[in-house]
Amino acid sequence: MKRILIAIFSAGWLLPLWMSASVMFQFLSAEVLPRLAGQGPINTFPYVQFSEQAFTAASIWLGAVIMYWAWRASKGDSLAPETT
């Protein structure tokens, strides 16, 4: 169970990063392309703000993961999986 939680913690930052990129592409298709075509915006969702917040969360999470693994490596802990 511990290894599963460590794996989720280590790779979980990818979810907010993916959300950030996905929302930014939605912004381009829902807001930028209609404006280039001379139309008004069709949605008022704060795409850029949400994308920025998701990217910030992913960056902080990634920083925490790097700090965790650096701490583990500096302690001399074996990074190999434990045998049970």
Side-chain angles (χ1 to χ4, degrees):
M1 183 67 175
K2 181 180 174 183
R3 285 191 278 174
I4 291 172
L5 292 175
I6 290 173
I8 290 170
F9 170 70
S10 295
W13 63 273
L14 290 168
L15 180 63
L17 184 68
W18 171 79
M19 287 174 45
S20 174
S22 177
V23 168
M24 188 53 71
F25 285 122
Q26 288 176 9
F27 168 73
L28 292 174
S29 66
E31 297 286 332
V32 174
L33 292 179
R35 286 180 192 224
L36 290 175
Q39 303 168 356
I42 58 174
N43 198 343
T44 59
F45 182 75
Y47 290 102
V48 177
Q49 181 182 6
F50 181 81
S51 179
E52 178 185 3
Q53 291 172 349
F55 185 79
T56 300
S59 298
I60 291 170
W61 194 335
L62 176 59
V65 169
I66 291 170
M67 286 176 52
Y68 171 77
W69 285 109
W71 175 71
R72 287 273 310 254
S74 71
K75 279 182 32 178
D77 288 350
S78 172
L79 298 178
E82 298 173 13
T83 56
T84 48

